[in-house]
Each structure stands twice: as C-alpha cells, then as structure tokens.
Amino acid sequence: MEVRTSNPGEMAYVIKQMLTVNYAKTHNLQATNAEIEQFIEGKKKADAGVRKEVEARRGEIKKALQSETLPDEDRKQLNGELQFLQQMQQAEQDADKQNGDPDRAAAETQMARAIIGQWKVKKALYKQYGGRVIYQQGGAEPLDAYYKYFKAAQQAGELKFVDKDLETAFWGYFTSDSKHKFYSDNEKDQAINRPWWQMETLPGK
C-alpha cells in the first residue's frame, strides 16, 4: 500500500493501522463472541456509573446555585457546567430510546470487536517485546513494543519511507519521552493486560 501525504499524523495512523491489522491476522487476535458480550456488559456498567456521577454533580450544582452569596463568576461557571450536564443527560435519554434497535446493536458489536481487537494486539506486542507503557485516551499503549515491532517491520521490508522528514517525525513519537505520560513499572502490566471493561469499577474509582 502506497501512502502519499504531507501530514505526519495521517501517515502514522495509516502505518499503525495496516501493520497492527496484519499482526492481528497472523497471530489470530480477533475478538470472540464471549469477549464482545463481556465488553458490552462492561460498557453498560460504566455508563450507569457515569450517569450516577452526573446526577450527583447536578444536585451539587443546583444546591450551590441557591446561595445568595455566590460570586457572579462562579455562578456563571456553574450554570455553564449544569447546561453541559443536562445536554449529556438528554443525549443519554435519546440513546435509550434506541434500545432494541438492530442497527444500534450491530454498531455496538462492531465497535466492541474493533476495540477488543486493538487491545489484544497491544497485549500480545507487550508480551513479545515488553518495555514502557504510556497513558492514551484509548487505553494503555505499549510504546516501546510498538517501536520494536515497527522497526522489525522496516527491517523486514514491510515498511519503507521515501520522505526522510516524515520518517523522522514518525520515529520521534516513540523516542521523545516528553510527549508522553508513563505508567510506573508496578502499574504497567495491569494497565495493558486488564482493560477497563474487565474491571468492576472504572480506573481511578
């Protein structure tokens, strides 16, 4: 596959997707039906927890707004937060109306399959290469394992760069420590091996 772009982030995304999809196929890392069911159930529990937190926060804000001595700036900030939380609740209620919709169920299954597949690749790469693990919005990421895997792909001729500046930018993501927040040595194994949907409570709760 030939990638033509001047955007380093776009290039990195395509490279990562293509190589990790290939890794998943060659190592049979697709999500099973049981894993998908576990993910969907874990997401329901997580969503329910978030709803409780949102409702509790709404109560706190409404109580605070009743104070006649509340500074105007604080009142403005709290009203903005309250409006945002109300929008969240409305979106959740709209989503609830779609319960039982076959299209929604299919979309949830597809999402679960993709997320589980990504996690299984991360877990397998970490087991194979080890190294440091970083915080990412989509979950823990085995930074050094990715680096070693992509380097191996380059040495095997599966990854070739034509533009040296883009190549430098690509590897810079893995070698510039200041860009990342790292899990400690005591935390990284669990962060990789046990994703949030396998936990009874969300991380940090």
Side-chain angles (χ1 to χ4, degrees), residues 15-16 19-20 23 27 121-122 124-133 141-159 161 170-175 188:
I15 289 173
K16 187 175 180 181
L19 289 177
T20 54
Y23 187 90
H27 290 76
V121 167
K122 293 175 184 179
L125 285 172
Y126 178 69
K127 182 178 180 180
Q128 181 176 354
Y129 293 106
R132 299 170 300 170
V133 176
E141 179 179 294
L143 184 72
D144 291 341
Y146 271 142
Y147 176 77
K148 292 176 182 178
Y149 171 57
F150 295 145
K151 277 293 186 181
Q154 186 180 38
Q155 292 171 2
E158 298 173 359
L159 172 61
F161 293 94
F170 178 78
W171 296 120
Y173 172 82
F174 303 98
T175 58
K188 63 179 185 176

Side-chain angles (χ1 to χ4, degrees), residues 85-98:
L85 295 177
Q86 289 171 337
Q87 291 172 347
M88 281 184 61
Q89 287 189 317
Q90 184 60 53
E92 291 166 353
Q93 291 170 4
D94 292 342
D96 288 342
K97 295 177 182 178
Q98 298 178 4

Side-chain angles (χ1 to χ4, degrees), residues 2-194:
E2 184 176 294
V3 181
R4 294 178 178 270
T5 180
S6 59
N7 186 323
E10 183 178 56
M11 175 200 64
Y13 175 80
V14 174
I15 289 173
K16 187 175 180 181
Q17 286 293 109
M18 295 298 294
L19 289 177
T20 54
V21 166
N22 182 62
Y23 187 90
K25 289 180 179 178
T26 57
H27 290 76
N28 193 27
L29 298 175
Q30 291 74 31
T32 66
N33 290 336
E35 289 170 336
I36 290 173
E37 290 177 5
Q38 182 186 43
F39 176 93
I40 292 174
E41 184 61 29
K43 186 176 182 300
K44 287 180 180 178
K45 290 181 179 179
D47 289 344
V50 170
R51 292 188 183 197
K52 288 182 180 179
E53 291 181 357
V54 168
E55 186 58 36
R57 180 56 182 162
R58 284 188 65 208
E60 292 175 357
I61 293 174
K62 288 181 177 180
K63 184 177 180 179
L65 290 173
Q66 292 175 359
S67 173
E68 297 180 356
T69 60
L70 185 68
D72 290 342
E73 186 62 29
D74 292 348
R75 187 177 299 277
K76 179 180 178 181
Q77 181 178 347
L78 289 175
N79 274 318
E81 184 180 353
L82 182 61
Q83 182 178 8
F84 172 74
L85 295 177
Q86 289 171 337
Q87 291 172 347
M88 281 184 61
Q89 287 189 317
Q90 184 60 53
E92 291 166 353
Q93 291 170 4
D94 292 342
D96 288 342
K97 295 177 182 178
Q98 298 178 4
N99 285 337
D101 184 344
D103 290 338
R104 182 185 179 189
E108 288 181 341
T109 298
Q110 183 177 5
M111 176 188 66
R113 181 176 288 110
I115 293 175
I116 294 168
Q118 291 170 359
W119 164 66
K120 295 179 84 168
V121 167
K122 293 175 184 179
K123 181 181 177 181
L125 285 172
Y126 178 69
K127 182 178 180 180
Q128 181 176 354
Y129 293 106
R132 299 170 300 170
V133 176
I134 61 173
Y135 291 87
Q136 282 288 34
Q137 186 174 5
E141 179 179 294
L143 184 72
D144 291 341
Y146 271 142
Y147 176 77
K148 292 176 182 178
Y149 171 57
F150 295 145
K151 277 293 186 181
Q154 186 180 38
Q155 292 171 2
E158 298 173 359
L159 172 61
K160 296 181 181 180
F161 293 94
V162 177
D163 189 305
K164 292 301 179 183
D165 289 337
L166 288 179
E167 179 178 8
T168 299
F170 178 78
W171 296 120
Y173 172 82
F174 303 98
T175 58
S176 299
D177 292 358
S178 61
K179 294 182 178 181
H180 309 295
K181 181 179 179 182
F182 294 85
Y183 282 93
S184 70
D185 290 341
N186 295 330
E187 298 173 326
K188 63 179 185 176
D189 285 356
Q190 179 169 317
I192 284 290
N193 293 320
R194 193 178 182 196

